[in-house]
């Protein structure tokens, strides 16, 4: 914070290139992609504190008391505008904030996601289902002040531990998904599905992958850790083809969303529920991997080496695990690499590389 954004990006590029110097030739780096340095986040994760009559929405301090953040500059302008109207309406529902020191109360967090078309998904994280009727009755109130409210759900988190949400999700609206339109693809985000929190940079990430797929023009593409289908659907729409498209994702809700988007686009793509780390079949010409921070690990690296697809696109949110995985893919060389400033004002980066079989 306080460092000029161009300098932040230059330092980030330098650090990532240094970390990956044994795997990525210096002349293969493309210019970093940058979006807005503030007002970029499409999701607000708000810890709730205070009292029933005067709740706070923001963070908890070192004593676990609520601190309101009414003018946070993280969020996209439409989401900020929506929160200005939505938070007073939520405060008026009469839900008692959960007090961490005494372990009393109900409302732990409020999670609000905004789409590029100014629609909202509003999730209440409650300790128990006892206050469900209050939330249900408040939907019309919320929509009266923010007409874009599309999905409202309650997540039940009964445990006292540092976990944002629990396993049970109850959708209270007829609509179960929030359409997230990035360029010419509309994804369908369900309450518990992962989606990049920086829409501008996510769209650029998918455009870059589409460009690399078009240049390689494979007959088949497999998207591992495919989530709601971001890379797979863009690969299907890349120039060239036709090509067989498959995706594997462990979260059933995300697979349902990917299938819906493919159907709306008229694409013949196959999405399966499964663990990418224990694949039984890998017979595609190009494989995309977009793993969590831990990376793909030795077993999947070995499977890729054995199957020997002509190209691999690896999108990573952790350059350290990316370097570790690249070291376990000796049969490949990096021919393109790019840093995406997905998380401005931080030391984190999204890095995508294109690998070609030696």
């Amino acid at each position: 914070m306080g460092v000029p954004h161009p300098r932040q990006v230059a330092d980030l590029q330098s650090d990532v290139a240094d970390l990956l110097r044994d795997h990525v030739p210096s002349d293969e780096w493309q210019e970093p992609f940058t979006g807005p340095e503030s007002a970029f986040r499409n999701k607000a994760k708000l810890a709730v504190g205070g009292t029933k009559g005067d709740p706070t929405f923001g963070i908890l301090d070192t004593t676990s008391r609520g601190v309101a953040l009414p003018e946070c500059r993280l969020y996209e302008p439409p989401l900020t505008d929506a929160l200005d109207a939505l938070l007073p309406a939520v405060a008026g529902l009469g839900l008692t904030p959960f007090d961490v020191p005494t372990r009393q109360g109900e409302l732990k967090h409020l999670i609000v996601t905004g789409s590029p078309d100014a629609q909202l998904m509003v999730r209440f994280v409650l300790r128990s289902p006892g206050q469900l009727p209050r939330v249900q009755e408040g939907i019309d109130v919320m929509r009266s002040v923010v007409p874009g409210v599309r999905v409202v759900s309650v997540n039940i988190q009964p445990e006292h531990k540092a976990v944002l949400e629990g396993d049970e999700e109850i959708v209270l609206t007829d609509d179960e998904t929030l359409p997230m339109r990035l360029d010419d693809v509309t994804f369908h985000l369900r309450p518990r599905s992962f989606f990049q929190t920086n829409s501008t940079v996510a769209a650029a990430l998918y455009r870059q992958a589409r460009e690399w797929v078009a240049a390689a023009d494979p007959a088949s593409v497999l998207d591992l850790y495919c989530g709601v289908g971001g890379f797979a659907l863009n690969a299907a729409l890349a120039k060239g083809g036709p090509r067989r498209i498959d995706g594997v994702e462990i979260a059933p809700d995300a697979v349902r969303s990917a299938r819906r988007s493919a159907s709306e686009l008229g694409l013949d793509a196959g999405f399966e529920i499964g663990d990418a780390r224990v694949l039984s079949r890998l017979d595609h010409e190009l494989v995309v991997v977009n793993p969590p921070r831990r990376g793909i690990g030795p077993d999947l690296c070995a499977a890729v080496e054995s199957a020997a697809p002509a190209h691999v696109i690896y999108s990573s949110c952790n350059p350290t695990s990316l370097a570790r995985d690249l070291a376990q893919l000796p049969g490949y060389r990096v021919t393109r690499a790019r840093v995406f400033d997905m998380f401005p004002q931080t030391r984190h980066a999204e890095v995508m590389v294109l690998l070609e079989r030696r």
Side-chain angles (χ1 to χ4, degrees):
M1 297 291 288
V3 176
H5 191 226
R7 176 64 182 275
Q8 289 186 34
V9 176
D11 290 346
L12 195 61
Q13 171 70 46
S14 177
D15 291 348
V16 171
D18 185 61
L19 183 62
L20 299 177
R21 64 185 180 277
D22 293 337
H23 310 289
V24 184
S26 59
D27 59 350
E28 300 299 352
W29 285 105
Q30 299 178 212
E31 285 295 313
F33 181 89
T34 62
E37 62 179 290
S38 63
F40 60 84
R41 189 174 169 90
N42 60 32
K43 178 186 287 188
K45 297 180 179 180
L46 304 171
V48 184
T51 64
K52 181 177 179 179
D54 186 22
T56 62
F57 300 90
I59 61 173
L60 301 182
D61 66 15
T62 55
T63 66
S64 297
R65 300 299 182 184
V67 177
L69 296 177
E71 297 178 357
C72 182
R73 296 178 60 192
L74 271 177
Y75 312 122
E76 295 173 339
L79 179 55
T80 295
D81 292 343
L83 289 173
D84 286 344
L86 182 66
L87 296 184
V90 172
L93 299 182
L95 298 167
T96 303
F98 182 74
D99 182 69
V100 174
T102 63
R103 303 189 185 185
Q104 299 294 315
E106 282 295 323
L107 181 57
K108 294 184 171 184
H109 294 90
L110 187 72
I111 306 172
V112 185
T113 303
S115 79
D117 298 308
Q119 293 184 310
L120 297 182
M121 176 186 292
V122 184
R123 302 176 63 207
F124 292 77
V125 180
L126 300 178
R127 188 176 66 159
S128 72
Q131 297 300 306
L132 270 170
R134 282 186 185 269
V135 179
Q136 181 78 66
E137 293 166 4
I139 293 176
D140 288 342
V141 174
M142 289 185 281
R143 284 177 168 163
S144 69
V145 295
V146 184
V149 171
R150 178 184 175 98
V151 181
V152 177
S153 69
V154 167
N155 180 276
I156 306 300
Q157 167 52 303
E159 298 181 84
H160 181 71
K161 60 182 182 180
V163 176
L164 182 66
E165 58 191 66
D167 295 331
E168 184 180 4
E169 190 85 26
I170 304 165
V171 179
L172 302 177
T173 48
D174 292 336
D175 289 310
E176 297 183 348
T177 69
L178 179 69
M180 297 290 286
R181 179 182 51 81
L182 300 187
D183 294 334
D184 55 352
V185 179
T186 297
F187 303 99
H188 290 278
L189 184 60
R190 296 177 188 275
R192 302 197 54 176
S193 296
F194 169 79
F195 197 77
Q196 297 285 6
T197 56
N198 188 326
S199 298
T200 298
V201 180
L205 190 74
Y206 294 143
R207 287 195 298 270
Q208 183 64 80
R210 189 188 292 202
E211 180 181 313
W212 287 351
V213 170
D217 197 17
S220 56
V221 175
L222 176 62
D223 181 3
L224 302 178
Y225 307 94
C226 70
V228 295
F231 288 107
L233 296 171
N234 276 278
L237 295 171
K239 292 180 180 179
R243 53 183 63 97
R244 174 166 61 100
I245 303 293
D246 294 299
V248 176
E249 167 59 45
I250 200 167
D253 279 355
V255 171
R256 289 171 59 198
S257 295
R259 289 170 177 168
R260 177 173 174 178
S261 294
S263 176
E264 291 177 352
L265 290 165
L267 299 174
D268 184 15
F271 292 97
E272 298 179 4
I273 301 169
D275 188 342
R277 295 172 296 177
V278 290
L279 285 180
S280 59
R281 178 176 61 88
L282 203 165
D283 59 354
H284 297 68
E285 291 186 8
L286 186 149
V287 174
V288 182
V289 293
N290 181 29
R293 290 187 60 80
R294 65 174 179 267
I296 66 174
D299 291 343
L300 187 50
C301 283
V304 171
E305 279 286 330
S306 176
H311 293 90
V312 176
I313 294 176
Y314 193 136
S315 183
S316 169
C317 62
N318 183 1
T320 300
S321 61
L322 172 60
R324 187 167 56 243
D325 288 339
L326 290 176
Q328 298 183 79
L329 294 168
Y332 290 87
R333 63 185 182 93
V334 176
T335 60
R336 293 285 187 277
R338 194 173 191 184
V339 168
F340 293 81
D341 187 32
M342 186 76 75
F343 317 101
Q345 316 297 338
T346 76
R347 303 301 302 162
H348 297 287
E350 188 81 15
V351 184
M352 192 160 67
V353 297
L354 173 65
L355 297 97
E356 184 178 283
R357 192 72 184 172
R358 296 182 189 273

